Amino acid sequence: MALTDEQLSRYSRHITLKEIGVRGQKKLLAAKVLIIGAGGLGAPAAMYLAAAGVGTIGIADCDKVELSNLQRQIIHTTNDVGKTKVRSAAETINALNPDVQVIPYETHINSKNIADIIRDYDFVIDGTDNFPAKFLINDACVMGRKPFCHAGILRFEGQLMTYVPDKGPCYRCIFGAPPPKDAVPSCREAGVIGAMAGIIGSMQALEAVKYITEQGELLTGSMLIFDGLKMEWRKVRLPKRVAACPVCGDDPSITELFDEEQQTCSLI
C-alpha cells in the first residue's frame, strides 16, 4: 500500500531517516500498540505513538479525569475533567492524527481479561503505578509471548526496561514479587514532578517505535534509571536469563494468571 501525499508530508521527518524511511513508516501504520493506563506515562506515550502514525492504539483505563491529573497527564485538558480517561485520550488522538484507530477499554484490567485484551497487539506499554498491576502485565505478556515496556516514576526519578520473549529477563526475574503493601509510597503520597512522566513515557514510545521498525538497541537486559535532580542517567545491566524465575524460568511455578491483591484504577 502506497502512502498518500498527505502521509508523505505528515511523516516526512520519519521518512528522511534512513532507519525508518517509507518502509518503516508503513510498518508503523500497520502496527498495533496497547497502552495500559492513560495517566502520566500513558499520556505522552500515546501522543507520540499517535503522532508517529502507529495505526492502532489500544488504551485501557477505568478512571475518570481529575483536576489533579492535569499536572502530568498531558493528553487530557481542563475541559476533560469528569470524562473517562479513555474517551478523553481517544478524542485527543483523533484530533492529532486521523490515521490512527483508537480502541478504548474502559475496564479494570485483571487476570480474567488481560490475556484476551493483549492478544491482538504487537507491543504493550505498562503505564500503571501499582505493583500488582505491573506483575500481572508482566506475567500476561510472558505467557502470551508479547513484548512490553515497563516504566515507573516517583518524585524526581524514573526507570524503564523492555521485555522481548527470548531476548532478556522479565520484570519478575528482577523484582520477584510485589513489595509488602504500603512499603513503597505512591505518587499520590510522595509526589512526582510532571516532566518526569513526559521523559519516561516518551522513552516508552521510543522503545515501541524501535521494536516495530526493528531499529536500534532495545532495553532488553538493561534497566535505564534517571535522576532528574542530578540530571544523571544510569544503565544497569541485568542478568541475561534467570533460570529460577517463577514465570519464565526453567520450571515455572506460575502457569496461570492471578491478581496479586485487589488493585485500584489509580494510574500515575
Side-chain angles (χ1 to χ4, degrees):
M1 180 184 70
L3 298 181
T4 66
D5 290 344
E6 183 177 319
Q7 288 173 326
L8 289 170
S9 178
R10 181 185 288 272
Y11 307 119
S12 60
R13 301 306 189 271
H14 273 178
I15 293 168
T16 301
L17 295 168
K18 64 181 178 63
E19 294 87 352
I20 306 294
V22 170
R23 184 168 177 267
Q25 190 59 53
K26 287 182 177 179
K27 287 183 178 181
L28 290 168
L29 287 163
K32 298 180 178 182
V33 176
L34 174 67
I35 301 171
I36 302 179
L41 293 169
M47 292 184 74
Y48 273 106
L49 290 174
V54 170
T56 302
I57 298 177
I59 301 179
D61 197 306
C62 62
D63 261 353
K64 292 183 178 180
V65 180
E66 298 178 5
L67 191 61
S68 62
N69 299 150
L70 303 184
Q71 166 256 9
R72 63 208 175 279
Q73 300 180 16
I74 59 170
I75 205 165
H76 313 299
T77 70
T78 302
N79 290 336
D80 295 320
V81 171
K83 289 182 184 177
T84 63
K85 287 187 179 179
V86 292
R87 177 187 167 196
S88 170
E91 289 174 351
T92 301
I93 291 171
N94 290 336
L96 176 64
N97 190 350
D99 281 345
V100 179
Q101 177 189 11
V102 180
I103 301 177
Y105 301 92
E106 188 185 336
T107 186
H108 167 65
I109 296 296
N110 57 47
S111 61
K112 305 299 183 185
N113 60 18
I114 190 170
D116 287 337
I117 290 174
I118 70 173
R119 180 172 292 121
D120 294 329
Y121 288 91
D122 303 308
F123 194 90
V124 177
I125 287 178
D126 168 17
T128 65
D129 77 343
N130 66 84
F131 288 105
K134 290 184 178 301
F135 279 91
L136 176 62
I137 291 168
N138 176 81
D139 296 351
C141 287
V142 170
M143 293 181 190
R145 298 189 61 78
K146 296 289 182 180
F148 79 97
C149 185
H150 149 78
I153 56 174
L154 191 68
R155 301 188 179 99
F156 287 84
E157 298 181 352
Q159 66 178 38
L160 71 159
M161 63 174 280
T162 296
Y163 166 80
V164 177
D166 304 322
K167 299 293 185 181
C170 73
Y171 183 75
R172 198 178 281 274
C173 285
I174 308 307
F175 296 105
K181 189 176 181 180
D182 300 326
V184 179
S186 67
C187 288
R188 183 187 299 272
E189 296 163 336
V192 62
I193 192 73
M196 184 59 62
I199 293 167
I200 302 300
S202 297
M203 295 188 76
Q204 289 184 284
L206 180 58
E207 287 288 275
V209 168
K210 286 168 21 184
Y211 176 82
I212 292 163
T213 58
E214 302 177 275
Q215 296 298 320
E217 295 182 6
L218 296 170
L219 287 169
T220 51
S222 297
M223 176 81 74
L224 192 61
I225 301 170
F226 179 52
D227 183 330
L229 284 177
K230 297 179 180 178
M231 293 302 281
E232 291 181 352
W233 291 96
R234 186 161 56 99
K235 192 173 184 179
V236 178
R237 183 63 59 185
L238 303 175
K240 291 184 178 180
R241 184 171 182 274
V242 178
C245 175
V247 70
C248 73
D250 291 341
D251 186 21
S253 57
I254 298 174
T255 58
E256 294 183 358
L257 297 175
F258 66 97
D259 298 306
E260 296 274 359
E261 62 179 52
Q262 184 63 40
Q263 302 170 33
T264 68
C265 295
S266 176
L267 303 169
I268 296 170

